[in-house]
Amino acid sequence: MNGFVEPVIDWAALTPVLIVLGAAVLGVLVEAFVPRGARRATQVVLSLLATAAALIAVVWRWTVVAETGPQEVVAGAIIEDGPALLAQGILAVLSFVGILVVADRSEWGEDAFAAQGAARPGSVEEADATRAGRTQSEVFPLVLFALTGMLVFPAAGDLLTMFIALEVLSLPLYLLTGLARRRRLLSQEASLKYFLLGSFASAFFIMGVALLYGFSGTVRLSGIAQAVPAMVGMDGFLLAGTVLVLVGLLFKVGAVPFHAWTPDVYQGAPTPITGFMAACTKVAAFGALLRFAYVVVPGLEWDLEPLLWGIAILTMVVGTVIAIVQSDVKRMLAYSSIAHAGFVLLGIIALDEQGIPATLFYLLAYGLATIGAFGVVTLVRERSADGTVTGEATHLSQWAGLGRRHPAVAAAMALFLLSFAGIPLTAGFMGKFAVFSAAVDGGATVLVVIAVLASAAAAFFYVRLIVLMFFTEPDGESTAVVRSEGLTAVAVGICALGTLALGVFPGPVLDLVGQAAVFLP
């Protein structure tokens, strides 16, 4: 074809993505050819090895970029620079821990997923599959496919690649949300809501891409940034396109007013998937939002500042206020995640060099506490009158006295809640301090004052649960902590150690993320 120039692809730079994608494809083949009895174990080992190998590959590429500098890959469709690699490293760490929770089973061999996802809730087919002890081992390749999109999302150098990554990470999550073993109708309702609202967000995003292409003649972020000061008389296309792209990205992070899906999906999804999604999706989406904001938005700072300030304030206030009145642990953590999205937005709005590493450090701290907290939720179960242990005990009243009966579990949950609240000597405190400092340096002092007030108010519902666990008499024996294969305990332990280490000795990690303060244009 005349005029076509074959792109030069540095396949080594794509190693982290290719490892996870290859493992996901191999996982599909495992479902087709490995005997049913060996599938789950094979998928667990494959998934954990893939995420560990991806982390090793990210470390290798970090050393290469440190020596040779950042570069464009696949004709600029993907960027290999410090922020992209750091986001990918955080994703690899969090997904490894998240998969441990996904893979765990109770002492009687029951996991968090429906025995047969395609069966109608309450049907004979579902009952037969449950009695037969079937497992949905295909959740592991679905998690890996979602992780593949997440790894590409913050490294995308053009809007079409970003959109494809958005869809690749979203579609498996829509399916995974509807696979809860219990409360099947609630789970399927959450899946449908997530799919419908996510489709609207994707439509906004792709319409924004079209408008920005019409404005600049390119979908490359660097090309759009160069066209901002050069084009005259087309500001309407530029502003409309930028706002629509921001809507698509803000939906994925759960910012107000694009947050309506968050509480229902967090509550209805299988809890291990909720933890994985809450932590990893935020890292990927904020990574992409950081790149778009720091590459394209600086030329539109005065036009978009009122919009971004308003969204950040609404997100912090709405998430905090509604979380206070929640009686369900998962919904409380969902609105907490909305409030945290508002805090992280301060690092975006700062448009300061320190905003990039501060945001990524916050996301690491938040991700560890989130996966750990939802891991604890998977272990705390309801106990019926005849002593049978059933589903998760998500009502706050059911957590009363947990610290007296199971002090280790309650202590881990308390640590994660204190980190969410930003109490000193936890990772959450250092994350908030870093983001708030970057926002002050960027001239957003008023936002920081509002964020501090919101953080103080948010401490109420975190401390309320701690008081319930340690200082409230239990109401009978209606709650139990189940024994499992131990994978969730390992994950919670890793998250707890990480939360403490980042809070007490944050220096090495802060120095590391400080090296990722500049995007390749």
Side-chain angles (χ1 to χ4, degrees), residues 5-14 18 71-80 152 155 157-158 161 220:
V5 179
E6 182 179 355
V8 177
I9 302 175
D10 183 358
W11 292 104
L14 299 175
L18 294 177
Q71 64 171 333
E72 295 181 347
V73 186
V74 197
I78 293 178
I79 305 296
E80 186 183 46
V152 174
D158 66 56
T161 303
R220 293 276 296 275

Side-chain angles (χ1 to χ4, degrees), residues 349-402:
I349 294 171
L351 291 179
D352 180 78
E353 186 175 283
Q354 295 306 310
I356 300 169
T359 299
L360 293 171
F361 182 89
Y362 192 113
L363 291 170
L364 173 60
Y366 169 80
L368 288 173
T370 297
I371 293 177
F374 281 107
V376 172
V377 172
T378 65
L379 298 177
V380 182
R381 302 290 185 91
E382 296 177 334
R383 190 197 301 272
S384 61
D386 61 359
T388 304
V389 177
T390 55
E392 293 157 354
T394 59
H395 197 279
L396 288 177
S397 62
Q398 295 174 307
W399 289 64
L402 184 67

Side-chain angles (χ1 to χ4, degrees), residues 21-91:
L21 177 60
V25 174
L26 188 57
V28 174
L29 297 179
V30 167
E31 288 298 308
F33 297 109
V34 173
R36 184 182 297 274
R39 284 180 195 168
R40 179 184 172 278
T42 305
Q43 295 283 23
V44 171
V45 172
L46 177 63
S47 300
L48 293 175
L49 287 177
T51 50
L55 178 60
I56 295 171
V58 169
V59 173
W60 167 53
R61 295 309 303 174
W62 179 275
T63 60
V64 172
V65 169
E67 293 178 1
T68 63
Q71 64 171 333
E72 295 181 347
V73 186
V74 197
I78 293 178
I79 305 296
E80 186 183 46
D81 57 9
L85 287 171
L86 187 57
Q88 290 178 341
I90 294 172
L91 284 168

